[in-house]
Amino acid sequence: MRSADGAPAPIAEGIARLREELEVPDDFPSDVTAAAIAAAKAAPMPERDLREVPFVAIDPPGAQDVDQLLHLERDAEGFLVWYAIADLGSFVEPGGVIDAEAHRRGQTFYAPSGRTPLHPPELSEGAASLLEGQDRPALVWQHRLDAEGALTETTVERALVRNRRQLTYEQVQADLDAGNADPALQLLAEVGQLRQAQERARGGVSLNLPDQEVEATDGRWQLSFRSTLPVEGWNAQISLLTGIAAAKLMIEAKVGILRTLPPAEPDAERTLRETAELLGIDWPADMPYQDFVPTLDTSIHSHSAMMNACTLLFRGAGYQAFDGEVPEQPLHAAMATPYAHCTAPLRRLVDRYTLETCLALVNGQRPADWVLAAYPELPDTMRDSDRRAKAYERGIVDLVEALVLQHRVGDTFTAVVVDVDEAKPDATRFRGRIVVEADAVEATVTADRELPLGEQVQVRLTAVDLVAGTVDFELA
């Protein structure tokens, strides 16, 4: 979501309601801002100087809160991946006012009319952000991979770095497609695909769903679907690699905090296979789930419904902190490996604690007392902020859907049924979810007959509520 303007008047009340209901913070208290300004001026620079490493950033256009820089090079028979992460630990005093406010927020909240950052802009978009052409303190990871992309060695240290160029995904993809990308970015494509193969081999999978985006031009807000570019998946694999390496360090030391996801229910894959059969999609009996998902093409209606069903396979993501005994279920089931959040400390509270833990462990030390003291409360803090952030973003998209459809009550639309609710035997009304591709709207639909999953249908818009952010469709 992006917009330089404030929210349009018709949905401003709805956004204000969401902010109040979900306790989305307002501006930072004056003492927090003052502390951030002071920290920006006084932060110590690391002795280790890695400014000769030609780091670049790859972010959405206009990003100011730059968490990560990367550089890749060949190393003997394999690869060396450099990954620099913004060092909030150099700016945030444990137990100080910035720290306390970050715990209250948990993470950054995003809206088209502006984000509500985890840290004051003086840090998150200034002194701590890895902005182009600036010298910055960072936590620099070095990952050594073999020729197949498997992780063989990892380390992390504090160092001074410089972002040589701030690139967009579109720029990098265009250069890669044209064959004139920088050698390090060509390696990103190579390593990214090797890591995707590693993911599939261990039973993990990434769902490549189109993004539903809010766009604003000259005060006009609208929705669009945007398919992710291949380079976004390759770039994400470097972040996932770092999270996997962090989890490995913490599990070996029996202290840390993991991002966990329980395994799918025993009958979940059987249900998915039944859905594929219903949709007429071939899923060979000997093909595992992680190999089946990449065969789906969301531009095909039945495949779009199938991908929606795949999102329901895993439920219950959370965090587990531990000290002395590794959790009984340490895996992130969708990745089929232990994993930790550590690559977005400007935007997510838990990452700062993971980074400080890993930095201590590679130096043969226990995590600092202030890190350990935060462990018991961190999972609940992050779970609550995740819930609120997701509800806020979904609520705003719902409001924009109502905004773009407000004058079209009674109109008929072409839609695809992507999900159906299980109906009772004596049901006379049926419910499901549809995607109206032309307007990039996802909504609920009701019908007096069973809805045809994965098929194109005609639906009629019956009601719009600009404050609640609801749109009602019925099968035409």
Side-chain angles (χ1 to χ4, degrees):
M1 309 184 201
R2 51 186 182 272
S3 169
D5 305 317
I11 61 171
E13 182 180 345
I15 291 178
R17 172 188 58 79
L18 277 174
R19 293 184 68 90
E20 182 177 357
E21 288 179 358
L22 298 171
E23 298 180 349
V24 177
D26 294 317
D27 293 338
F28 286 92
S30 57
D31 61 335
V32 176
T33 299
I37 293 171
K41 296 177 180 178
M45 292 297 105
E47 292 183 9
R48 180 85 157 113
D49 190 342
L50 291 176
R51 286 176 293 179
E52 77 280 359
V53 179
F55 283 113
V56 299
I58 310 176
D59 282 296
Q64 294 297 308
D65 50 346
V66 181
D67 280 295
Q68 310 112 9
L69 306 177
L70 59 78
H71 175 68
L72 292 84
E73 56 192 65
R74 294 199 182 276
D75 178 51
E77 298 301 315
F79 309 90
L80 176 59
V81 177
W82 298 82
Y83 206 49
I85 309 297
D87 182 12
L88 266 294
S90 291
F91 296 90
V92 179
E93 177 189 359
V97 293
I98 302 173
D99 190 24
E101 183 66 16
H103 276 263
R104 188 170 77 87
R105 295 175 180 235
Q107 62 187 278
T108 295
F109 293 79
Y110 290 92
S113 51
R115 56 182 169 264
T116 302
L118 173 63
H119 301 97
E122 290 80 5
L123 298 180
S124 61
E125 299 177 14
S129 180
L130 305 179
L131 297 167
E132 183 179 80
Q134 302 297 316
D135 295 341
R136 292 287 188 261
L139 279 299
V140 180
W141 294 79
Q142 292 183 54
H143 305 300
R144 295 189 185 277
L145 311 180
D146 66 17
E148 302 301 317
L151 180 65
T152 61
E153 183 184 345
T154 193
T155 188
V156 60
E157 61 183 329
R158 276 199 161 91
L160 190 65
V161 301
R162 171 170 285 207
N163 175 1
R164 301 291 181 87
R165 292 182 67 196
Q166 190 154 340
L167 305 169
T168 67
Y169 293 113
E170 289 76 12
Q171 284 177 304
V172 176
Q173 189 67 59
D175 287 346
L176 288 169
D177 292 343
N180 54 16
D182 181 90
L185 297 177
Q186 294 177 26
L187 284 178
L188 174 62
E190 184 176 346
V191 170
Q193 291 174 81
L194 288 172
R195 290 301 301 173
Q196 287 171 333
Q198 290 279 332
E199 182 178 72
R200 290 191 297 271
R202 66 175 183 264
V205 65
S206 296
L207 297 178
N208 187 25
L209 287 162
D211 290 329
Q212 187 184 24
E213 294 189 341
V214 178
E215 297 180 339
T217 306
D218 298 327
R220 177 183 174 85
W221 284 26
Q222 60 187 21
L223 291 157
S224 66
F225 283 124
R226 186 184 72 85
S227 295
T228 54
L229 298 169
V231 70
E232 294 179 73
W234 304 330
N235 190 56
Q237 285 296 326
I238 306 303
S239 176
L240 296 177
L241 168 66
T242 305
I244 292 168
K248 185 174 185 292
L249 283 171
M250 293 187 291
I251 287 175
E252 288 175 351
K254 297 184 178 181
V255 59
I257 182 163
L258 301 174
R259 177 64 164 168
T260 57
L261 181 63
E265 294 296 324
D267 292 337
E269 185 170 316
R270 177 180 57 79
T271 302
L272 281 182
R273 287 184 175 272
E274 291 173 353
T275 301
E277 184 177 358
L278 175 67
L279 292 168
I281 300 173
D282 182 37
W283 184 351
D286 60 350
M287 179 182 284
Y289 168 78
Q290 65 269 23
D291 291 336
F292 169 68
V293 171
T295 70
L296 298 175
D297 179 356
T298 54
S299 67
I300 300 172
H301 299 149
S302 59
H303 287 212
S304 180
M306 188 70 225
M307 187 71 85
N308 183 77
C310 288
T311 66
L312 306 177
L313 184 62
F314 299 106
R315 293 288 186 178
Y319 296 88
Q320 287 203 48
F322 58 101
D323 185 5
E325 186 173 339
V326 177
E328 184 177 341
Q329 199 300 100
L331 294 180
H332 190 290
M335 297 183 203
T337 183
Y339 172 69
H341 274 159
C342 64
T343 62
L346 293 175
R347 293 169 279 174
R348 196 168 47 211
L349 173 66
V350 69
D351 297 48
R352 173 160 55 98
Y353 288 89
T354 306
L355 288 166
E356 292 292 341
T357 297
C358 291
L359 187 64
L361 295 178
V362 298
N363 287 308
Q365 302 170 356
R366 286 264 297 165
D369 289 344
W370 65 268
V371 173
L372 295 173
Y375 279 177
E377 302 296 331
L378 263 179
D380 287 341
T381 298
M382 294 309 303
R383 189 179 300 112
D384 180 64
S385 68
D386 279 348
R387 175 191 62 80
R388 290 187 294 131
K390 289 174 182 175
Y392 185 52
E393 291 182 19
R394 181 65 249 174
I396 288 176
V397 172
D398 289 344
L399 287 166
V400 179
E401 289 175 337
L403 177 71
V404 301
L405 296 174
Q406 62 178 315
H407 301 304
R408 302 180 68 183
V409 174
D411 288 0
T412 299
F413 300 77
T414 299
V416 176
V417 180
V418 296
D419 192 20
V420 293
D421 292 353
E422 186 173 348
K424 296 179 180 178
D426 58 348
T428 58
R429 298 294 291 174
F430 301 85
R431 289 170 56 87
R433 294 286 296 176
I434 55 170
V435 171
V436 182
E437 294 178 340
D439 298 279
V441 167
E442 300 177 5
T444 299
V445 65
T446 58
D448 58 6
R449 57 191 184 278
E450 289 190 21
L451 291 157
L453 182 65
E455 294 186 17
Q456 199 170 70
V457 296
Q458 297 298 303
V459 296
R460 183 179 299 108
L461 180 62
T462 59
V464 170
D465 187 326
L466 282 169
V467 176
T470 57
V471 294
D472 298 325
F473 286 93
E474 64 179 21
L475 196 62

